[in-house]
Structures are given as structure tokens and as C-alpha cells.
Amino acid sequence: MTFDNSKAIISLRLKLFAATVILLTFIVLTYVAGMIKYPLLGMSDTAWTLILVTLYFMYAFMPLMINYQYIYFSDEGDTIDFRYFVSGITGGRKNSIKIKKEEFTGYRTDKRFFGIIISITLYQKINNKAAKYPPVYITALTREEREKLFRALDTCLPGN
């Protein structure tokens, strides 16, 4: 089975682009063109600007704070292949994990921050010892994609 979450990442980038356009339009209409008259709903232009800029930065940096990652997974052939990188306003380093199925010994999932941040740690047998890979954050996967991933990994475990 092979899948990735590119649609979710593209959707995130499009929403971030739309938020940027809305914020810039507000700033142009307020400060350059002077088309929006204040007080608006009882608040000044400074208050509206602070609120919108704060909301924008919270939305823009949220993927970084919750480790939102692009993930490609494949268990085709005799290897398990993970490719991932941090997505959001800044791109991250591209990482890859490739494990031969006969050396795969298991995985562990962790949830942090009230279950919002979900990661998976893969284990591989090297010289009769279990080696641990850095965690891959699967927060950006849907529940169905996570279930598919866990089922695929379970079938790759020794004895299955």
C-alpha cells in the first residue's frame, strides 16, 4: 500500500495564501486607501490590525507548533518507506526512513498536547538489538489514513 497526505498539505498552503491576501487587503484598504471608516464595531484601526495580525500569525505558525508534516508511506516490495518533512510557512529538511521488512521489529505511537500532536516511532533490528528512528509526526494524517498506516505496519511485523 502506498499513500501520502499531499492534498492536506496543499489545502493548508492554499488557506495560508488566502489568509495572507485577506490580511494584506485589510492593511491596504485601511492604511493606504483609507476606505474602511473607524471606529468599526466600536474598535479602532489599531485594535483591528492587532487582532488580525495576531490571528494570522497563530494560523501561519500552528503547523510548526503541532509538527504538521507531509508524509509519504509505502510498504510495497520488501521495504517499508517513509518520507516526510515539516510543512507550513517555512519548509523543513526532507527526511527518509527505509527499513527492510525482515528487520522491522515494531512501532510505538505517542500523543502529546491533549492528543493533538501524534507521532510514530519505528524500530529496526540491527545486530540483534532494536534501533529506534526519530519520531515521524502523523498529526496531518486523517483518522482513516492513520488506521491504514497502523494496519499496514502490523502486517509487516514478524509473525504476521
Side-chain angles (χ1 to χ4, degrees), residues 18-109:
T20 303
V21 169
I22 290 169
L23 179 65
L24 291 176
T25 302
F26 168 78
I27 289 172
V28 167
L29 291 177
T30 298
Y31 294 106
V32 177
M35 294 179 73
I36 301 176
K37 303 298 178 199
Y38 291 95
L40 181 65
L41 298 176
M43 294 190 292
S44 69
D45 59 341
T46 306
W48 277 106
T49 303
L50 286 174
I51 290 169
L52 290 176
V53 167
T54 301
L55 289 173
Y56 174 78
F57 279 112
M58 284 175 51
Y59 185 73
F61 288 103
M62 186 62 68
L64 290 174
M65 291 185 283
I66 62 171
N67 294 316
Y68 212 70
Q69 293 183 339
Y70 165 80
I71 296 171
Y72 166 85
F73 170 77
S74 175
D75 65 348
E76 305 282 323
D78 63 343
T79 61
I80 298 170
D81 189 18
F82 266 99
R83 294 183 195 140
Y84 59 98
F85 63 89
V86 174
S87 63
I89 198 163
T90 60
R93 195 177 95 223
K94 292 180 169 87
N95 300 296
S96 180
I97 297 173
K98 187 170 265 197
I99 303 173
K100 291 183 181 177
K101 287 183 181 177
E102 63 264 6
E103 295 174 354
F104 179 64
T105 59
Y107 66 93
R108 185 184 81 221
T109 60

Side-chain angles (χ1 to χ4, degrees), residues 118-137:
I118 305 168
S119 66
I120 185 168
T121 305
L122 302 172
Y123 294 91
Q124 176 181 7
K125 181 175 57 173
I126 298 178
N127 297 330
N128 294 326
K129 294 182 181 179
K132 175 172 110 170
Y133 281 93
V136 177
Y137 292 93

Side-chain angles (χ1 to χ4, degrees), residues 5-7 9 11-12 33-34 41 46-47 54 117 119 139 152 154:
N5 64 339
S6 59
K7 288 182 182 178
I9 302 305
S11 173
L12 171 75
L41 298 176
T46 306
T54 301
I117 301 173
S119 66
T139 305
D154 288 339

